[in-house]
Amino acid sequence: MVVGAFPIAKLLYLGVRQMSKPVANRIKAGARRSEFFKTYICLPPAQIYHWVEMRTKMRIMGFRGSTIKPLNEEAAAELGAELLGETIVFLIGGGCMVLEYSRQAANSRRKEEELNETISSLQQQMGELALTTETLDAQLRQVNRLLVSLPGPQPQK
C-alpha cells in the first residue's frame, strides 16, 4: 500500500468534521438554556423557516390565502437550535472543502512552477548546445580551409 495515497490532511479534515457534530450539539444545548440565544438567535430563524416551509406547503396544496400561525416558543427554540447546529456542521464542512481546494490549488500551482522551471532550464541548455555546435562548426570550417591551403605532396621524379 502506498503511503502517499491517503494524505494525512484528508484524515484531519474528516476528524474536524466529525468533531463538529458534538460541538454543534453543545452549542445547541447552550442555546436552549440561554435566554439571549433563545430570543435573538434561535427564534427568528426558526419562525422564518417555519413560515417559508408552511407557505410552500400551502401553495403546493392549493391554499393561497391562508394565514400561518407562528410556532410556540418551545418548538421555535428547538427548531432554531437544530438549524443552528446544522448551520455549524455545514459551515465547518464548507470550510474543510475550501481548505482542501486551496491546498490542491497550491499543489497544482507548485507543480506547474516546477514544470515551467524545467522547461526554462531545458531551453537554456538547448541554446547553449546550439551555440557550442555553431562554434565547433566554425572551427571545423577553419581547419578544413587550412587543410585545403596546405601544399599537397610533391610528385616524385
Side-chain angles (χ1 to χ4, degrees):
M1 183 171 153
V2 179
V3 175
F6 189 72
I8 193 73
K10 290 183 181 181
L11 184 60
L12 288 175
Y13 290 149
L14 182 63
V16 167
R17 287 191 61 208
Q18 289 300 318
M19 287 175 45
S20 68
K21 290 177 185 176
V23 169
N25 289 337
R26 290 180 66 66
I27 290 173
K28 287 191 306 190
R32 288 184 190 111
R33 287 187 301 249
S34 170
E35 282 300 316
F36 175 80
F37 264 97
K38 193 183 290 185
T39 305
Y40 297 107
I41 296 177
C42 290
L43 292 180
Q47 293 294 359
I48 291 170
Y49 178 81
H50 172 71
W51 183 81
V52 169
E53 181 186 31
M54 293 306 294
R55 184 93 164 175
T56 304
K57 285 181 181 179
M58 293 296 209
R59 285 196 176 179
I60 288 172
M61 291 189 292
F63 301 113
R64 297 255 180 227
S66 301
T67 59
I68 298 167
K69 293 182 181 178
L71 287 173
N72 64 18
E73 189 173 313
E74 187 61 35
E78 186 71 27
L79 180 61
E82 286 296 321
L83 288 173
L84 179 65
E86 291 300 318
T87 301
I88 290 169
V89 170
F90 179 75
L91 289 175
I92 290 174
C96 288
M97 284 176 42
V98 167
L99 287 174
E100 180 65 21
Y101 176 77
S102 65
R103 188 181 72 80
Q104 290 293 335
N107 282 344
S108 175
R109 200 175 320 113
R110 182 183 49 80
K111 286 180 183 179
E112 188 174 327
E113 287 173 359
E114 288 176 0
L115 184 62
N116 286 340
E117 288 176 13
T118 303
I119 290 172
S120 175
S121 172
L122 289 174
Q123 287 175 339
Q124 182 180 359
Q125 288 177 357
M126 275 182 48
E128 291 171 0
L129 289 174
L131 184 61
T132 304
T133 304
E134 288 177 15
T135 304
L136 289 174
D137 191 37
Q139 289 174 353
L140 185 60
R141 280 190 303 239
Q142 185 179 5
V143 168
N144 281 340
R145 267 189 248 119
L146 287 173
L147 281 175
V148 169
S149 66
L150 287 176
Q154 298 291 330
Q156 292 182 354
K157 296 186 187 182

